[in-house]
Amino acid sequence: MAMHDPGGGAPPPQTPNRPSVGGRVLVLIPPGKRDRLGGNLTPDSLLARLRKAGFCPDMPDLDSPDAFPGAIRAAAGSDDPPALVLVGGGDGTLSAVADAMADTGLTLGILPLGTANDLARTLGLPFDPAAALEVALTGRRRSIDIGTIDGRGFFNVASIGLSVDVADALDSHEKRRLGIGAYIPALFRVMTRHRRFRVRLTVDGRNVEMRAVMVAIGNGRHHGGGLTVSAAATIDDGMLDVYVIEPVSHWRMALMLPALRLGTAGPWMGVHRLSGRTVRVETPAKPKRVNVDGEILTRTPAEFGVRAGAVSVMTPDRPAADLPGTSPVRSLAGDRSIAGDTRSRDTPAGKVPMLSDEEAAMSAEDERLAAEIEIALQDMARAAREGEALTRRMAESPHSGLSDTVIAALGQIGADWARIAVVADDALDAMDLPTRDADDDRALIEDVVDWLEGLVGMPVETRASQRLHHAAARIEVAIDEVRRAGDPASADAATVAYDDAWRLINTALPAPVEGAED
């Protein structure tokens, strides 16, 4: 049954940045969440607080969030449109009303009742529903963007790859018991079986193609229970922020998490960033599912856009610069490691002039080629150094059980792979691009020899062969990528060193066991 109560009590003074006192408040909360609003807030106390503030609350009895957009549009078209639409739920529920809020121009208030609550996190809202209610009534109205995927609005982030697998692996019991902590066991459940894929991105007309395990396209700042799209991302800058995680080892993925939470991971960690107003995502091999604010909504290919300043929302009454996901001005440079925005924009340094069509086309093509070569060379350097560190750790382990002949071969194999890393570094130096720290990858695979011990039931030298073949395959793929990206000279030089190492692997060590777990 719908709950509708007349206003009462002593209303606060009228403020242009707040909902008009005496007006109607449309309260939309999914049925399954009404009895567990959290803290000391109950449906009755919620209505009482709204009446005390001088509003007329209206809580229709709707079956599911699917009915919320229709209720919002109907209320907006009525003789008494609401001064505030108060929506309680998680990010999926809020994303479902994005288009309706944008189209009607009504003001949104948020009660964070989900697991991740990433939109609330972006806006600096308190997670306690009672405190969030106070913000909705006494905070400051701000205009924020919504992203669009194939024309449908969303608030936070759309993603493909690893994040979709994590969403599938989330256990409902763990979500209720652990809350946001449920994402951690889900991540580790899928980390060992996620698949790489090739992705083609078109950002404001500029094309980049690479291998990835995850792609995220953000309108807001946060997703996945606190991961940060970019340290510079805001929800009111009229831009989409994209980050791509390239295929990396499981150890590196785990150690990358702190930087992903801060939005500071860069190319040296296997994370590449772009930004723009339009994004097209294609996965040439086969369509991939797209997770949009926690819900699987579509598959690639997908077209993304942004509706700048489309939704009015209540936020804490603090300067925009003090809120994590909003800012008065965004730096033009940002943190884009692949391609920047070449259009004219106002910045703290003044207006940046727009390039001519010919200049923009040349710049975009140069950026695309440089980006592909940089990514391929960085990947080759990483694969070679991880392989070299693997051989070093094997040879230096006092309890490895390897013969002197094999240990000597490991030293030469490692030296050959180190040569490949040097080839990549020299090419990056020649392009005035950053090279990799020689100790970077070694620190990240410190315990890789212990991983070998998990391959039980195999002679120690067969276990070593298993890992070396895996490392060699990774290096071979990386060399092929450098060649495909347009640097055959570096690929040829690396191939000479690779062939030397490959001959030693096949002569000094036994063949790996086909089908064994790696």
Side-chain angles (χ1 to χ4, degrees):
M1 178 182 297
M3 302 182 185
H4 184 84
D5 291 283
Q14 299 281 6
T15 305
N17 282 326
R18 296 174 182 170
S20 299
V21 173
R24 183 158 65 107
V25 174
L26 178 63
V27 183
L28 300 174
I29 300 175
K33 294 186 182 292
R34 289 183 188 173
D35 295 332
R36 47 188 180 91
L37 297 182
N40 298 320
L41 193 67
T42 65
D44 288 340
S45 65
L46 168 63
L47 294 175
R49 177 67 185 95
L50 290 171
R51 291 195 302 270
K52 184 178 179 179
F55 295 98
C56 301
D58 179 11
M59 186 186 294
D61 188 10
L62 302 176
D63 292 336
S64 76
D66 292 340
F68 289 3
I72 293 169
R73 296 181 191 280
S78 69
D79 294 335
D80 183 21
L84 178 69
V85 178
L86 188 62
V87 179
D91 291 310
T93 299
L94 291 165
S95 184
V97 305
D99 284 324
M101 295 305 304
D103 294 343
T104 60
L106 298 175
T107 298
L108 174 66
I110 297 172
L111 296 181
L113 304 178
T115 302
N117 295 319
D118 285 310
L119 179 58
R121 194 186 310 272
T122 291
L123 297 174
L125 297 174
F127 287 175
D128 176 69
L133 175 60
E134 294 306 309
V135 171
L137 299 179
T138 64
R140 182 181 300 185
R141 183 189 287 115
R142 284 188 170 87
S143 296
I144 64 172
D145 309 335
I146 64 171
T148 63
I149 174 170
D150 296 333
R152 181 194 187 280
F154 66 94
F155 279 115
N156 298 321
V157 173
S159 58
I160 62 175
L162 180 62
S163 56
V164 177
D165 296 335
V166 170
D168 286 343
L170 279 172
D171 181 89
S172 58
H173 175 70
E174 286 179 346
K175 285 180 68 175
R176 289 192 297 270
R177 183 169 58 89
L178 301 176
I180 193 173
Y183 284 85
I184 301 301
L187 174 62
F188 280 94
R189 277 195 292 270
V190 304
M191 192 178 289
T192 58
R193 54 182 172 84
H194 66 267
R195 296 289 181 265
R196 67 185 64 190
F197 55 93
R198 180 161 292 283
V199 62
R200 183 181 299 128
L201 300 170
T202 305
V203 181
D204 286 351
R206 296 182 291 277
N207 300 310
V208 176
E209 188 169 337
M210 67 187 81
R211 291 180 300 129
V213 295
M214 178 175 148
V215 179
I217 302 94
N219 171 66
R221 182 179 177 85
H222 296 293
H223 71 113
L227 299 181
T228 302
V229 175
S230 163
T234 65
I235 198 169
D236 57 0
D237 60 359
M239 301 290 285
L240 297 172
D241 291 274
V242 183
Y243 76 88
V244 182
I245 302 178
E246 66 180 42
V248 295
S249 69
H250 305 144
W251 300 105
R252 180 179 294 277
M253 181 68 72
L255 292 168
M256 192 189 296
L257 287 177
L260 289 176
R261 290 190 66 83
L262 296 173
T264 56
W268 58 93
M269 298 184 75
V271 178
H272 303 275
R273 301 183 185 278
L274 310 89
S275 61
R277 293 176 176 85
T278 62
V279 178
R280 177 175 172 83
V281 180
E282 301 169 85
T283 51
K286 65 177 181 179
K288 305 256 325 159
R289 294 180 298 161
V290 184
N291 181 321
V292 182
D293 284 351
E295 307 291 333
I296 308 299
L297 293 185
T298 186
R299 292 178 180 267
T300 56
E303 300 275 355
F304 294 86
V306 61
R307 296 174 65 179
V311 171
S312 295
V313 62
M314 297 305 297
T315 65
D317 192 5
R318 302 200 301 268
D322 293 343
L323 301 179
T326 63
S327 62
V329 179
R330 178 176 179 173
S331 166
L332 175 65
D335 59 359
R336 301 167 201 127
S337 64
I338 296 182
D341 181 23
T342 59
R343 287 176 287 192
S344 174
R345 297 204 294 169
D346 289 316
T347 73
K351 182 174 285 292
V352 176
M354 182 180 291
L355 299 177
S356 69
D357 290 343
E358 183 178 356
E359 289 173 327
M362 291 176 62
S363 175
E365 180 65 13
D366 289 344
E367 287 177 349
R368 184 188 69 79
L369 293 173
E372 287 199 3
I373 294 174
E374 177 185 1
I375 292 167
L377 288 170
Q378 291 276 14
D379 196 41
M380 186 169 78
R382 175 181 299 110
R385 285 209 168 88
E386 287 181 353
E388 187 274 334
L390 173 66
T391 62
R392 180 177 56 84
R393 295 287 295 173
M394 285 181 178
E396 293 176 357
S397 175
H399 307 295
S400 67
L402 298 172
S403 69
D404 291 342
T405 301
V406 169
I407 290 175
L410 287 172
Q412 185 56 52
I413 293 166
D416 290 332
W417 284 347
R419 286 163 52 201
I420 295 174
V422 171
V423 168
D425 287 348
D426 288 346
L428 289 166
D429 278 338
M431 298 171 65
D432 197 25
L433 293 170
T435 58
R436 301 187 59 80
D437 185 336
D439 293 324
D440 183 34
D441 292 302
R442 296 178 184 179
L444 294 178
I445 59 170
E446 189 73 9
D447 298 320
V448 73
V449 172
D450 293 337
W451 196 357
L452 286 174
E453 299 303 323
L455 302 174
V456 295
M458 234 184 263
V460 64
E461 292 187 359
T462 304
R463 294 203 301 269
S465 175
Q466 199 82 15
R467 286 298 295 157
L468 289 173
H469 274 78
H470 177 78
R474 169 111 162 82
I475 294 169
E476 183 180 22
V477 169
I479 293 172
D480 287 344
E481 288 296 313
V482 170
R483 192 183 308 280
R484 186 197 64 78
D487 189 356
S490 295
D492 289 344
T495 299
V496 173
Y498 173 86
D499 288 344
D500 289 343
W502 184 244
R503 280 192 294 271
L504 273 171
I505 291 172
N506 286 288
T507 56
L509 289 122
V513 177
E514 187 175 351
E517 289 294 326
D518 191 28

